[in-house]
Coordinates of all heavy atoms in Angstrom, one line a residue:
L1 N -21.6 13.7 -8.2 CA -22.9 14.3 -8.7 C -24.1 13.6 -8.0 O -24.1 12.3 -8.1 CB -23.0 14.1 -10.2 CG -24.3 14.7 -10.8 CD1 -24.3 16.2 -10.7 CD2 -24.4 14.3 -12.3
A2 N -24.9 14.3 -7.3 CA -26.1 13.7 -6.6 C -27.2 13.6 -7.6 O -27.6 14.6 -8.3 CB -26.5 14.6 -5.4
I3 N -27.8 12.4 -7.8 CA -28.9 12.2 -8.7 C -30.0 11.4 -7.9 O -29.7 10.3 -7.5 CB -28.5 11.4 -9.9 CG1 -27.4 12.1 -10.7 CG2 -29.7 11.2 -10.8 CD1 -26.8 11.4 -11.8
D4 N -31.1 12.0 -7.6 CA -32.1 11.4 -6.8 C -31.5 11.1 -5.4 O -31.0 11.9 -4.8 CB -32.8 10.2 -7.5 CG -33.6 10.6 -8.7 OD1 -34.1 11.7 -8.7 OD2 -33.7 9.8 -9.6
E5 N -31.6 9.8 -5.0 CA -31.1 9.4 -3.7 C -29.7 8.7 -3.9 O -29.2 8.1 -3.0 CB -32.0 8.4 -3.1 CG -33.4 8.9 -2.7 CD -33.3 10.0 -1.7 OE1 -32.4 9.9 -0.8 OE2 -34.0 11.0 -1.7
G6 N -29.1 8.9 -5.1 CA -27.8 8.3 -5.3 C -26.7 9.4 -5.5 O -26.9 10.6 -5.7
L7 N -25.4 8.9 -5.3 CA -24.3 9.8 -5.5 C -23.2 9.0 -6.3 O -22.7 8.0 -5.9 CB -23.7 10.2 -4.1 CG -22.4 11.0 -4.1 CD1 -22.6 12.3 -4.8 CD2 -21.8 11.1 -2.7
L8 N -22.9 9.6 -7.5 CA -21.9 9.0 -8.3 C -20.6 9.9 -8.1 O -20.7 11.1 -8.3 CB -22.3 9.0 -9.8 CG -21.4 8.5 -10.8 CD1 -21.2 7.0 -10.6 CD2 -21.9 8.7 -12.2
Y9 N -19.5 9.2 -7.7 CA -18.4 10.1 -7.3 C -17.0 9.4 -7.8 O -16.9 8.2 -8.1 CB -18.3 10.2 -5.8 CG -18.1 8.9 -5.1 CD1 -16.8 8.5 -4.7 CD2 -19.2 8.2 -4.6 CE1 -16.6 7.3 -4.0 CE2 -19.0 7.0 -3.9 CZ -17.7 6.6 -3.6 OH -17.6 5.4 -2.9
G10 N -16.1 10.3 -7.9 CA -14.7 9.9 -8.1 C -13.9 10.3 -6.8 O -14.3 11.1 -6.0
T11 N -12.7 9.7 -6.7 CA -11.9 9.9 -5.5 C -10.4 10.0 -5.8 O -10.0 9.2 -6.7 CB -12.2 8.9 -4.4 OG1 -11.5 9.2 -3.2 CG2 -11.9 7.5 -4.9
L12 N -9.7 10.8 -5.1 CA -8.3 11.0 -5.3 C -7.6 11.4 -4.1 O -8.1 12.3 -3.3 CB -8.0 12.0 -6.4 CG -6.6 12.4 -6.8 CD1 -5.8 11.2 -7.4 CD2 -6.5 13.6 -7.7
G13 N -6.5 10.8 -3.7 CA -5.8 11.2 -2.5 C -4.5 10.5 -2.3 O -3.8 10.0 -3.2
A14 N -4.0 10.5 -1.0 CA -2.8 9.9 -0.6 C -3.0 8.7 0.2 O -4.0 8.6 0.9 CB -1.9 10.9 0.2
A15 N -2.1 7.8 0.2 CA -2.2 6.5 0.9 C -0.9 6.2 1.7 O 0.2 6.7 1.4 CB -2.4 5.3 0.0
R16 N -1.1 5.5 2.8 CA 0.1 5.0 3.6 C -0.1 3.5 3.9 O -1.1 3.1 4.6 CB 0.2 5.8 4.9 CG 1.5 5.5 5.7 CD 1.5 6.2 7.0 NE 2.8 6.2 7.6 CZ 3.0 6.5 8.9 NH1 2.0 6.8 9.7 NH2 4.2 6.4 9.4
A17 N 0.8 2.7 3.3 CA 0.6 1.3 3.5 C 1.6 0.7 4.5 O 2.8 1.2 4.5 CB 0.9 0.6 2.1
Y18 N 1.2 -0.3 5.2 CA 2.1 -1.0 6.2 C 2.4 -2.3 5.5 O 1.6 -3.2 5.6 CB 1.4 -1.1 7.5 CG 2.3 -1.8 8.6 CD1 3.7 -1.4 8.7 CD2 1.8 -2.7 9.4 CE1 4.5 -2.0 9.7 CE2 2.6 -3.3 10.4 CZ 3.9 -3.0 10.5 OH 4.7 -3.6 11.5
S19 N 3.6 -2.4 4.9 CA 3.9 -3.6 4.1 C 5.4 -4.0 4.3 O 6.2 -3.1 4.6 CB 3.6 -3.4 2.6 OG 4.4 -2.4 2.1
W20 N 5.6 -5.3 4.1 CA 7.0 -5.8 4.2 C 7.4 -6.7 3.0 O 6.5 -7.3 2.4 CB 7.1 -6.6 5.5 CG 7.0 -5.9 6.8 CD1 5.9 -5.6 7.5 CD2 8.1 -5.2 7.4 NE1 6.2 -4.8 8.6 CE2 7.6 -4.6 8.6 CE3 9.5 -5.1 7.2 CZ2 8.3 -3.8 9.5 CZ3 10.2 -4.4 8.1 CH2 9.7 -3.8 9.2
H21 N 8.7 -6.7 2.8 CA 9.2 -7.6 1.7 C 10.4 -8.3 2.3 O 11.3 -7.8 3.0 CB 9.7 -6.7 0.5 CG 8.6 -5.8 0.0 ND1 7.5 -6.2 -0.7 CD2 8.5 -4.5 0.2 CE1 6.8 -5.2 -1.0 NE2 7.3 -4.1 -0.5
T22 N 10.5 -9.6 2.0 CA 11.6 -10.5 2.5 C 12.3 -11.1 1.3 O 11.6 -11.7 0.4 CB 11.1 -11.6 3.4 OG1 10.3 -10.9 4.5 CG2 12.2 -12.4 4.0
W23 N 13.6 -11.0 1.2 CA 14.5 -11.5 0.2 C 15.3 -12.6 0.9 O 16.0 -12.2 1.9 CB 15.3 -10.4 -0.4 CG 16.3 -10.9 -1.5 CD1 16.1 -10.8 -2.8 CD2 17.6 -11.3 -1.3 NE1 17.2 -11.2 -3.5 CE2 18.2 -11.6 -2.6 CE3 18.4 -11.7 -0.2 CZ2 19.5 -12.1 -2.8 CZ3 19.7 -12.2 -0.3 CH2 20.2 -12.4 -1.6
Q24 N 15.4 -13.8 0.4 CA 16.1 -14.9 1.1 C 16.8 -15.8 0.1 O 16.2 -16.4 -0.7 CB 15.2 -15.7 2.1 CG 16.0 -16.8 2.8 CD 15.1 -17.4 3.9 OE1 14.8 -16.8 4.9 NE2 14.7 -18.6 3.6
D25 N 18.1 -15.8 0.2 CA 19.0 -16.7 -0.6 C 20.0 -17.3 0.4 O 21.0 -16.7 0.7 CB 19.7 -16.0 -1.7 CG 20.3 -16.9 -2.7 OD1 20.3 -18.2 -2.5 OD2 20.8 -16.5 -3.8
L26 N 19.6 -18.4 1.0 CA 20.3 -18.9 2.2 C 21.8 -19.0 1.9 O 22.2 -19.4 0.8 CB 19.8 -20.3 2.6 CG 18.3 -20.3 3.1 CD1 17.8 -21.7 3.4 CD2 18.2 -19.4 4.4
P27 N 22.6 -18.6 2.9 CA 22.2 -18.2 4.3 C 21.9 -16.7 4.5 O 21.8 -16.3 5.6 CB 23.5 -18.6 5.1 CG 24.6 -18.2 4.1 CD 24.1 -18.6 2.7
N28 N 21.7 -16.0 3.4 CA 21.5 -14.6 3.5 C 20.0 -14.3 3.5 O 19.2 -14.9 2.7 CB 22.1 -13.8 2.3 CG 23.7 -14.0 2.3 OD1 24.3 -13.6 3.2 ND2 24.2 -14.7 1.3
R29 N 19.6 -13.3 4.3 CA 18.2 -12.9 4.4 C 18.0 -11.5 4.7 O 18.8 -10.9 5.5 CB 17.5 -13.8 5.5 CG 16.0 -13.5 5.6 CD 15.4 -14.4 6.7 NE 14.0 -14.3 6.8 CZ 13.4 -13.5 7.6 NH1 14.1 -12.7 8.4 NH2 12.0 -13.4 7.7
S30 N 17.1 -10.8 4.0 CA 16.9 -9.3 4.3 C 15.4 -9.1 4.3 O 14.7 -9.5 3.4 CB 17.6 -8.5 3.2 OG 17.4 -7.2 3.4
K31 N 14.9 -8.3 5.3 CA 13.5 -7.9 5.4 C 13.5 -6.4 5.4 O 14.1 -5.8 6.3 CB 12.9 -8.6 6.6 CG 11.4 -8.3 6.7 CD 10.8 -9.0 7.9 CE 9.3 -8.8 8.0 NZ 8.6 -9.5 9.1
F32 N 12.6 -5.8 4.6 CA 12.6 -4.4 4.6 C 11.2 -3.9 4.2 O 10.4 -4.7 3.7 CB 13.6 -3.8 3.6 CG 13.5 -4.4 2.2 CD1 12.8 -3.7 1.2 CD2 14.1 -5.6 1.9 CE1 12.7 -4.2 -0.1 CE2 14.0 -6.1 0.6 CZ 13.3 -5.4 -0.4
G33 N 10.9 -2.7 4.4 CA 9.5 -2.1 4.1 C 9.1 -1.2 5.2 O 9.5 0.0 5.3
N34 N 8.1 -1.6 6.0 CA 7.5 -0.8 7.0 C 6.5 0.1 6.4 O 5.8 -0.3 5.4 CB 8.5 0.0 7.9 CG 8.0 0.3 9.3 OD1 6.8 0.3 9.5 ND2 8.9 0.6 10.1
Y35 N 6.3 1.4 6.8 CA 5.3 2.3 6.3 C 5.8 2.9 5.0 O 6.9 3.5 4.9 CB 5.0 3.4 7.3 CG 4.2 2.8 8.5 CD1 4.8 2.6 9.7 CD2 2.8 2.5 8.3 CE1 4.1 2.1 10.8 CE2 2.1 2.1 9.4 CZ 2.8 1.8 10.6 OH 2.1 1.3 11.7
K36 N 5.0 2.9 3.9 CA 5.3 3.5 2.7 C 4.1 4.3 2.2 O 3.0 4.0 2.4 CB 5.7 2.4 1.6 CG 6.9 1.6 2.0 CD 7.3 0.6 0.9 CE 6.3 -0.5 0.7 NZ 6.7 -1.4 -0.3
I37 N 4.4 5.4 1.4 CA 3.3 6.3 1.0 C 3.1 6.0 -0.5 O 3.9 5.4 -1.2 CB 3.7 7.7 1.2 CG1 5.0 8.1 0.4 CG2 3.9 8.0 2.7 CD1 5.3 9.6 0.5
G38 N 1.9 6.5 -1.0 CA 1.5 6.3 -2.3 C 0.4 7.2 -2.7 O -0.1 8.1 -2.0
V39 N -0.2 6.9 -3.9 CA -1.3 7.7 -4.5 C -2.5 6.7 -4.6 O -2.3 5.6 -5.1 CB -0.9 8.3 -5.8 CG1 -2.1 9.1 -6.4 CG2 0.2 9.3 -5.6
V40 N -3.7 7.2 -4.3 CA -4.9 6.4 -4.4 C -5.9 7.1 -5.3 O -6.0 8.4 -5.2 CB -5.5 6.1 -3.0 CG1 -5.8 7.3 -2.2 CG2 -6.7 5.2 -3.1
Y41 N -6.6 6.4 -6.1 CA -7.7 7.0 -7.0 C -8.7 5.9 -7.3 O -8.4 4.7 -7.2 CB -7.1 7.5 -8.3 CG -6.2 6.5 -9.0 CD1 -6.8 5.7 -10.0 CD2 -4.9 6.3 -8.7 CE1 -6.1 4.8 -10.7 CE2 -4.1 5.4 -9.4 CZ -4.7 4.6 -10.4 OH -4.0 3.7 -11.1

């Protein structure tokens, strides 16, 4: 909603995150993740 010179707004959409997760219990190690999708508001 535009009021005078201001704009009050809401937002909603889709997201794509570049993230990684590492699990390590020596001597075992696993890294996983890469690009993941989500919801943003």
